Amino acid sequence: MTADAETRDATPPDEVDIRTEEGRLSALYVDGVAKAISENDSARVHDLAGDLHESDLGDLIEALEHDDRPKLVELLGKDFDFAALTEVDETVRVQLLEELAPETVAEGMRDLDSDDAVYILEDLDEADRDKILEQMSGAERVALTRSLDYPESSAGRRMQTEFVAAPPFWTVGHVIDYVADTEGLPDTFYEIFIVDPAYKLLGSVALDRLLRARRSKLLSEILEEDPRTIRATDDQEDAARAFERYNLVSAAVVDEAGRLVGVLMVDDILDVIEEEADEDLRALGGVTGDEEISDPVLYTARSRVPWLLVNLATAFFSASVIGLFEATIEQMVALAVLMPIVASMGGNAGTQTMTVAVRALATHDIGGHNARRLIRRETLVGLLNGIICAVVVGMIAGLWFQSAQLGAIIAAAMVTNLVFAGLFGILIPLGLDKMKFDPAVSSGVFLTTVTDTVGFFSFLGLASWWFRLGPF
Amino acid sequence: MTADAETRDATPPDEVDIRTEEGRLSALYVDGVAKAISENDSARVHDLAGDLHESDLGDLIEALEHDDRPKLVELLGKDFDFAALTEVDETVRVQLLEELAPETVAEGMRDLDSDDAVYILEDLDEADRDKILEQMSGAERVALTRSLDYPESSAGRRMQTEFVAAPPFWTVGHVIDYVADTEGLPDTFYEIFIVDPAYKLLGSVALDRLLRARRSKLLSEILEEDPRTIRATDDQEDAARAFERYNLVSAAVVDEAGRLVGVLMVDDILDVIEEEADEDLRALGGVTGDEEISDPVLYTARSRVPWLLVNLATAFFSASVIGLFEATIEQMVALAVLMPIVASMGGNAGTQTMTVAVRALATHDIGGHNARRLIRRETLVGLLNGIICAVVVGMIAGLWFQSAQLGAIIAAAMVTNLVFAGLFGILIPLGLDKMKFDPAVSSGVFLTTVTDTVGFFSFLGLASWWFRLGPF
């Protein structure tokens, strides 16, 4: 909450707090800005939003009504920080950029680091993107186009092409003077890269290491020879993994020939990690598109319906299993009352296992060395918890329908289903991962099919056999 | 994959690769180390594991059998980097620490930054912790105890108590010389903190800013006056939010009086963000404890069973809804076959909404200004997708059971349930959040209760009324 506390302190007392206690944007503040916009009161808009951090400005843009967004940009004029666009949802960004004049956008992006500029441009369609690029200087355009040529979600897209590089024969003193005297260095940097004349990366020197060295030392004497590097074509998730694993704050990005082409910064990696975790979570919840909370109704509905239809197919499949036992149910309706319990408990237990497995796969915590142990563990956990749930469900069902036999049958079905749930809760994600599918996306639907089918079949089948009812 | 590629390059050709192509620990490598341990071959263990990065060493420890772990530490002796213990699961860490002599641990922790030392000590029980602390020097013990006194999951627990501070009247040149001449500065730092004699924080100077300034400038002239600071008692998640929002790499931690007590580093924040996303994901999957994949069967089963029992209660509740319609089902068994479809589709659609809502709450993207819009959107999405699913399910069910009326009834029930699913999928997390409960943990169970109940009741109720069957 400190950040918010400070924002409050920085605001004069007669102003509205921009964030509530919980760190959310204050509705009062947003309304104030919207009112100033509707009155075309440029001075008031500057007062309220002229000095915001890019991140707060981004939140404000999202909170405003659709039509007020371009007006805010116009009213703020030169004071609008385009970096704020890196903080808003894709839908909002694309819509807003389409409504602004290409010259305004090109002008606003002049001061951005290349990674922010690429982030803003990459989701536009090519025609819009080209219109903006045309308004830029040749050098800027070349640098941005080169980044945009790397595949989506690659390190090349996320990297910043501005960095500080020096030859190995410079002294520490020389570099320090160079940094002090040179205009146009990147806004922020944490290390100096040491390169040969062809820009092949020889090593790096972190700033704290530079400061600790004598001025007379050569860079070649103090450089770290094998810094962790990222290839521009590497996936951003692999880059994030390397940052996490080796506690990096920045890393050189090199091309196929080992030449330095950019630098990845940890703040971008934070976004990648958040995005990645988000994707897994949404995928497990059946939200598979790149839906955002600012999306309109139709778009949201359309992006969610395929998943529902897939599930509908599996629901019909489990219904057909029940259909096999129509005659059985007709003779003993209690079975219809109890059968969803067995199926749903299997689903719950299986989801527990699947969640752990999917997350462990995402963080590379499952491998050849422990997969077998995990399969054994999950099956045994299913067996143990199956027994516990079986005792409870058996007693309650037995008492409810005054039939110890029915209690025993639902108990047996429960154990069976929870063992299957544990086994398939881990086998399905492992199998999908082995076949190079994303286990977060489709494990759930396969798992439900298994737990519903096994749940209905074991319970109804056992009952039908024991009470000599129905088809078998 | 770059990191792995390098690890490979760094390994002499006759050695085994420690990681597979996918970035997981190689089973061959782990077996090699296990063999060397079982043969007490210290030289071979040093060869294989003596130079590992702390993160790789951590993964190796987790991959080894329980009994081999303390042996690895002994065989590596002085070359065992205790920082590796920050990279392993809590269960593994606690067990391993309990088996090592307190002197060994105290000795090994001497070289660690304070945040790593606290991380390693915090999960031990107090007796074990005190035994280790006793072996340390007074100054170390005081610093660690002070951090450990802050609440669990607070910024004070995660901070590093080593930092570089300077008074405002020093010149840039003076600081640079001080850094070059002083032994015992922290391993890594990205900024210099400017403090008054009472250690009250006056501002900060990032290293790149320091390097850009003339040697003769005073720190007071170049310092950033209002750096984002974190209070030691703040929750680590709030600190993470501030790092993300304002793209920080380190931040001063201050006590209630505004005195500088430590510094938070972005690599620890990466772990916090990962942890936080992990918690949400597990909670949604019904894994509520702090279970880890290295946990044994019994522990895992015990931590998962409460969630299953809660779900069992709700399953019985929905079963009791079905029980109301026993007479209806007896007369028309097709209802029993179809009813799980309505309930399960409601569960799926509701989970989609709930997932989006829980995540948006976690990242503070829902607030007063958009909650109403989201409730409207989710209800409308439920209506639209309800109609689409209703058409499909109505046609198939109608054809299957040769009854257009049955098709119409299941269609109507489907629309009803999906509207409720959308509405409650958002209202439940919002309500729980308002009442200060974690929406990720319990939204699911309430939601299933709603979608099952509404699903069974609307379908069976409509059928019973239309066909004049059963109780109503």
Side-chain angles (χ1 to χ4, degrees):
Chain A
M1 300 288 66
T2 308
D4 311 314
E6 274 162 50
T7 313
R8 269 201 300 286
D9 295 344
T11 318
D14 61 314
E15 298 290 346
V16 186
D17 292 343
I18 80 154
R19 289 189 184 273
T20 63
E21 285 287 328
E22 290 87 35
R24 290 169 195 161
L25 217 55
S26 135
L28 213 63
Y29 170 75
V30 175
D31 290 346
V33 176
K35 184 156 168 287
I37 291 174
S38 71
E39 290 165 354
N40 257 314
D41 185 346
S42 169
R44 178 80 183 142
V45 170
H46 271 86
D47 264 7
L48 285 169
D51 279 332
L52 291 185
H53 184 276
E54 59 191 61
S55 166
D56 296 325
L57 185 55
D59 285 355
L60 172 62
I61 293 172
E62 288 191 337
L64 288 173
E65 292 294 323
H66 180 269
D67 294 338
D68 285 345
R69 292 169 188 159
K71 284 188 206 151
L72 174 73
V73 180
E74 279 159 34
L75 287 170
L76 281 178
K78 296 268 172 222
D79 287 336
F80 179 77
D81 180 357
F82 271 75
L85 293 182
T86 62
E87 309 281 341
V88 304
D89 285 348
E90 181 186 330
T91 331
V92 174
R93 180 167 53 242
V94 171
Q95 284 179 346
L96 179 54
L97 287 171
E98 281 170 359
E99 284 169 38
L100 294 172
E103 305 83 55
T104 313
V105 180
E107 179 61 37
M109 297 216 310
R110 191 145 301 156
D111 302 327
L112 296 186
D113 285 331
S114 66
D115 54 339
D116 287 344
V118 168
Y119 192 84
I120 291 175
L121 290 178
E122 66 181 354
D123 299 319
L124 291 180
D125 60 44
E126 238 179 283
D128 288 331
R129 189 196 287 172
D130 288 345
K131 262 187 246 158
I132 295 169
L133 285 172
E134 271 166 31
Q135 305 289 329
M136 297 190 156
S137 76
E140 284 174 322
R141 195 168 52 231
V142 169
L144 291 183
T145 313
R146 193 166 68 166
S147 282
L148 286 165
D149 280 345
Y150 286 110
E152 212 179 326
S153 302
S154 67
R157 280 282 180 99
R158 288 285 80 75
M159 74 189 179
Q160 186 177 309
T161 50
E162 301 90 0
F163 46 77
V164 183
F169 51 81
W170 279 17
T171 62
V172 167
H174 190 157
V175 177
I176 293 183
D177 295 343
Y178 165 80
V179 169
D181 292 336
T182 311
E183 298 272 318
L185 291 181
D187 286 348
T188 312
F189 58 96
Y190 308 110
E191 54 187 336
I192 314 265
F193 297 109
I194 318 302
V195 293
D196 74 7
Y199 264 74
K200 217 165 132 64
L201 185 70
L202 302 174
S204 72
V205 178
L207 295 190
D208 56 353
R209 190 169 176 139
L210 187 75
L211 284 172
R212 274 187 251 231
R214 300 267 139 222
R215 280 183 68 87
S216 57
K217 281 254 183 197
L218 291 177
L219 291 182
S220 56
E221 295 175 85
I222 61 162
L223 62 76
E224 198 189 342
E225 258 181 55
D226 261 321
R228 310 269 166 195
T229 57
I230 312 283
R231 271 192 299 262
T233 49
D234 279 351
D235 192 273
Q236 57 179 7
E237 293 192 8
D238 292 326
R241 220 37 77 207
F243 268 74
E244 253 182 325
R245 190 175 282 153
Y246 302 111
N247 296 340
L248 310 176
V249 291
S250 64
V253 180
V254 295
D255 66 11
E256 296 301 315
R259 275 187 308 254
L260 182 64
V261 291
V263 53
L264 267 177
M265 307 291 259
V266 72
D267 57 302
D268 297 318
I269 292 297
L270 277 183
D271 295 337
V272 171
I273 289 177
E274 188 91 0
E275 252 175 56
E276 189 193 346
D278 234 48
E279 264 174 36
D280 280 355
L281 192 134
R282 281 151 175 264
L284 283 172
V287 185
T288 47
D290 51 356
E291 178 189 323
E292 285 154 352
I293 63 160
S294 52
D295 287 342
V297 173
L298 268 179
Y299 183 89
T300 310
R302 205 175 49 204
S303 85
R304 288 192 200 160
V305 83
W307 176 252
L308 292 178
L309 293 176
V310 170
N311 272 286
L312 189 53
T314 75
F316 266 109
F317 180 77
S318 354
S320 73
V321 174
I322 305 176
L324 296 175
F325 297 94
E326 276 192 65
T328 316
I329 294 170
E330 205 152 22
Q331 293 171 66
M332 195 184 231
V333 181
L335 299 179
V337 176
L338 294 173
M339 67 186 185
I341 298 179
V342 182
S344 103
M345 291 303 290
N348 285 319
T351 302
Q352 289 182 327
T353 300
M354 180 186 79
T355 303
V356 172
V358 163
R359 198 58 193 149
L361 281 168
T363 53
H364 292 189
D365 280 340
I366 298 190
H369 65 282
N370 62 356
R372 197 164 302 201
R373 195 182 67 75
L374 273 174
I375 295 171
R376 207 177 123 257
R377 182 186 82 163
E378 292 302 325
T379 315
L380 285 173
V381 168
L383 179 65
L384 278 177
N385 286 348
I387 292 172
I388 294 172
C389 293
V391 171
V392 178
V393 86
M395 289 199 318
I396 300 180
L399 288 171
W400 184 359
F401 293 98
Q402 294 294 317
S403 159
Q405 296 181 39
L406 189 57
I409 284 168
I410 196 171
M414 185 67 83
V415 176
T416 312
N417 204 18
L418 262 61
V419 170
F420 272 86
L423 186 60
F424 282 86
I426 183 127
L427 284 183
I428 291 171
L430 282 178
L432 287 170
D433 184 66
K434 197 142 220 166
M435 294 184 286
K436 310 276 172 208
F437 292 108
D438 180 353
V441 175
S442 38
S443 291
V445 85
F446 287 110
L447 180 66
T448 320
T449 310
V450 171
T451 54
D452 278 359
T453 310
V454 173
F456 291 135
F457 197 89
S458 62
F459 179 53
L460 297 175
L462 272 172
S464 153
W465 165 75
W466 181 255
F467 294 116
R468 295 169 199 285
L469 306 166
F472 299 115
Chain B
M1 301 290 66
T2 309
D4 312 314
E6 272 162 52
T7 313
R8 269 202 300 285
D9 293 346
T11 318
D14 60 314
E15 297 290 345
V16 185
D17 292 343
I18 80 155
R19 288 188 185 273
T20 63
E21 286 287 328
E22 291 86 34
R24 289 169 195 161
L25 217 57
S26 136
L28 212 64
Y29 171 75
V30 176
D31 289 346
V33 177
K35 185 156 167 287
I37 292 174
S38 70
E39 289 165 357
N40 257 314
D41 186 345
S42 168
R44 179 79 184 142
V45 170
H46 272 86
D47 264 7
L48 284 170
D51 279 332
L52 291 185
H53 184 275
E54 59 190 61
S55 166
D56 296 323
L57 184 55
D59 285 354
L60 172 62
I61 292 172
E62 288 192 337
L64 288 173
E65 293 293 324
H66 181 271
D67 294 338
D68 284 344
R69 291 168 187 161
K71 284 188 207 152
L72 174 72
V73 179
E74 280 160 34
L75 287 170
L76 281 177
K78 296 268 172 220
D79 288 335
F80 180 78
D81 179 358
F82 271 75
L85 293 182
T86 63
E87 310 281 341
V88 303
D89 286 347
E90 182 184 330
T91 332
V92 174
R93 179 168 55 243
V94 171
Q95 282 179 345
L96 180 53
L97 286 170
E98 281 170 358
E99 284 168 38
L100 295 171
E103 306 83 54
T104 313
V105 179
E107 179 61 37
M109 299 218 307
R110 192 144 302 157
D111 303 325
L112 296 186
D113 284 333
S114 66
D115 54 340
D116 287 343
V118 168
Y119 192 85
I120 291 176
L121 290 177
E122 66 180 354
D123 300 319
L124 290 180
D125 61 43
E126 238 179 284
D128 288 330
R129 189 198 286 173
D130 288 346
K131 261 187 248 158
I132 296 169
L133 284 172
E134 271 167 30
Q135 304 289 329
M136 297 190 157
S137 76
E140 284 173 321
R141 194 168 51 230
V142 169
L144 291 183
T145 312
R146 193 167 65 166
S147 284
L148 285 165
D149 279 345
Y150 286 111
E152 212 179 326
S153 303
S154 68
R157 280 282 180 99
R158 287 286 79 75
M159 75 187 179
Q160 186 177 309
T161 50
E162 301 90 1
F163 46 76
V164 183
F169 51 80
W170 279 17
T171 61
V172 168
H174 189 158
V175 177
I176 294 183
D177 295 343
Y178 165 79
V179 169
D181 292 336
T182 311
E183 299 272 317
L185 292 181
D187 285 348
T188 310
F189 57 97
Y190 308 111
E191 54 186 337
I192 314 265
F193 297 110
I194 318 302
V195 293
D196 75 6
Y199 262 75
K200 218 166 132 66
L201 184 69
L202 303 174
S204 71
V205 178
L207 294 191
D208 55 354
R209 189 170 178 139
L210 187 74
L211 284 172
R212 276 186 251 230
R214 302 266 137 225
R215 281 182 68 87
S216 56
K217 282 254 180 195
L218 292 176
L219 290 182
S220 56
E221 295 174 85
I222 61 162
L223 62 75
E224 198 189 343
E225 259 183 56
D226 260 322
R228 311 269 166 194
T229 57
I230 313 284
R231 271 194 299 262
T233 48
D234 279 350
D235 192 272
Q236 57 179 7
E237 293 192 9
D238 293 326
R241 220 35 77 207
F243 267 74
E244 253 182 323
R245 190 175 281 153
Y246 303 110
N247 297 338
L248 310 176
V249 292
S250 65
V253 180
V254 295
D255 65 10
E256 296 300 316
R259 275 186 309 255
L260 181 65
V261 292
V263 54
L264 267 178
M265 307 292 260
V266 71
D267 56 301
D268 297 318
I269 293 295
L270 277 182
D271 296 337
V272 171
I273 289 178
E274 188 92 358
E275 250 175 56
E276 189 193 347
D278 234 47
E279 263 174 36
D280 280 354
L281 193 135
R282 282 150 175 262
L284 283 172
V287 186
T288 46
D290 51 357
E291 177 189 324
E292 285 154 353
I293 64 161
S294 52
D295 287 341
V297 174
L298 267 179
Y299 183 90
T300 310
R302 205 176 47 204
S303 84
R304 288 193 200 159
V305 83
W307 177 252
L308 292 177
L309 293 175
V310 170
N311 272 285
L312 190 53
T314 77
F316 265 109
F317 180 76
S318 353
S320 72
V321 175
I322 306 175
L324 296 176
F325 296 94
E326 275 190 66
T328 317
I329 294 170
E330 204 151 23
Q331 294 172 64
M332 194 185 235
V333 181
L335 299 178
V337 176
L338 293 173
M339 68 185 184
I341 298 180
V342 182
S344 102
M345 292 303 291
N348 285 317
T351 303
Q352 290 182 327
T353 299
M354 179 186 81
T355 304
V356 172
V358 164
R359 197 58 192 150
L361 282 168
T363 54
H364 293 189
D365 280 339
I366 298 189
H369 65 281
N370 62 357
R372 197 165 301 200
R373 196 184 66 76
L374 273 174
I375 295 171
R376 209 178 121 258
R377 182 186 82 162
E378 292 302 327
T379 315
L380 285 174
V381 168
L383 179 64
L384 277 178
N385 286 348
I387 292 172
I388 294 172
C389 293
V391 170
V392 178
V393 85
M395 289 199 319
I396 300 180
L399 288 171
W400 184 0
F401 292 99
Q402 293 294 315
S403 161
Q405 295 181 42
L406 188 57
I409 284 168
I410 195 172
M414 184 67 82
V415 176
T416 311
N417 204 18
L418 262 62
V419 170
F420 272 86
L423 186 60
F424 283 86
I426 183 127
L427 284 183
I428 292 171
L430 282 178
L432 287 169
D433 184 66
K434 197 142 220 166
M435 292 184 289
K436 310 275 173 209
F437 291 107
D438 181 353
V441 175
S442 39
S443 291
V445 86
F446 287 110
L447 180 66
T448 320
T449 310
V450 171
T451 54
D452 277 358
T453 310
V454 173
F456 292 134
F457 197 87
S458 62
F459 180 53
L460 297 175
L462 273 172
S464 151
W465 166 74
W466 182 257
F467 294 116
R468 295 168 200 285
L469 306 167
F472 300 116

